[in-house]
Amino acid sequence: MKKLFTPFESISKSKKTIILVVWIVLLIALWFITTSGQKHLFPSPSQVFQSFSELFQEGLVVHVFSSLALCFISISIAVVASMLFAYSWPIPVFKPIAEFITKFRFLPLAGLTLYITYVVHDARNMQIWILVIFLTTFLTTSLISVIASIPQEEFDHAKTLKCSRFEVLWQVIILGRIDYVIDVIRQNLAITWMMLVTVESTLAAAGGLGFLIKNSEKFSNHSRIIALQIIILLIGLALDFSINFLRKAIFRYSKI
């Protein structure tokens, strides 16, 4: 028992699972206790479960797939664009462009939306390009950090094997760090999923989970909001687990 309260102590997987289950049970118990009275801030579990049923009957699955499609389309385009910027970063003539792209991460989303509406008029395409521009800046920044952290010994080793400069770029940076790239995508996918709801609620014409939350807020339906938050959290955790599982399965040597 003392080990459970000792900093930096190693414990078995079974104990980690027990701790996680205990915290989940305590959280659910706290939810039941705090919503048992007549007046409470959050909706009760029964109200949330009823909202799950109502949302499902009103086309929840369609909105979930709409949000997932938007997420995967956006991140696919952003990954390709950010790879082009990041992998051109070691080339001196393209380095300022890649570094300039990373500075766009400080731009507010509201101002970005305004200028995109001047160019793109379809609601779905507006959502995609807002997310693509937003994600490309963060993905490029993360990928450049991965490249900059490669030890000099790896570059020296490639040079001793008579590799040309472009072969070094291909072997050490591109092929040698694919597992890191997948982990960067996994981390930024969480940002995408979080931003997705904001973008969908801002441009509700294309539907999605963000549209459902915005609509629930309009009518102050708190039980639906909590139900949708739980759905979004569970889908996000599932996506994160799936990508991490695939990374470890494909790149077993990865130590990240």
Side-chain angles (χ1 to χ4, degrees), residues 125-255:
N125 289 330
M126 285 173 62
Q127 291 176 343
I128 291 172
W129 285 109
I130 289 171
L131 285 172
V132 166
I133 294 172
F134 177 82
L135 281 170
T136 300
T137 59
F138 284 92
L139 277 169
T140 303
T141 304
S142 300
L143 290 175
I144 288 176
S145 298
V146 169
I147 296 171
S149 65
I150 298 176
Q152 183 60 39
E153 290 79 5
E154 294 191 30
F155 294 103
D156 294 336
H157 177 68
K159 291 175 183 178
T160 58
L161 297 176
K162 306 298 183 182
C163 292
S164 66
R165 297 293 180 92
F166 283 97
E167 286 175 334
V168 172
L169 176 65
W170 175 254
Q171 295 293 337
V172 178
I173 294 179
I174 299 177
L175 293 182
R177 288 297 183 274
I178 293 180
D179 55 322
Y180 287 74
V181 171
I182 294 175
D183 197 65
V184 165
I185 294 171
R186 180 180 68 86
Q187 294 171 12
N188 282 271
L189 183 62
I191 301 175
T192 311
W193 192 243
M194 179 190 68
M195 288 299 303
L196 195 74
V197 176
T198 305
V199 173
E200 285 181 335
S201 61
T202 305
L203 304 167
L209 293 171
F211 164 75
L212 292 178
I213 288 183
K214 191 72 173 179
N215 199 40
S216 300
E217 287 179 350
K218 185 187 298 182
F219 297 101
S220 298
N221 194 329
H222 298 286
S223 59
R224 283 200 177 197
I225 293 173
I226 298 298
L228 287 166
Q229 293 282 9
I230 293 172
I231 291 170
I232 291 167
L233 176 63
L234 292 176
I235 294 175
L237 291 174
L239 290 172
D240 185 80
F241 174 81
S242 301
I243 294 178
N244 198 38
F245 176 80
L246 288 174
R247 179 181 63 84
K248 290 181 178 179
I250 298 172
F251 304 99
R252 297 186 179 182
Y253 58 83
S254 175
K255 297 180 180 179

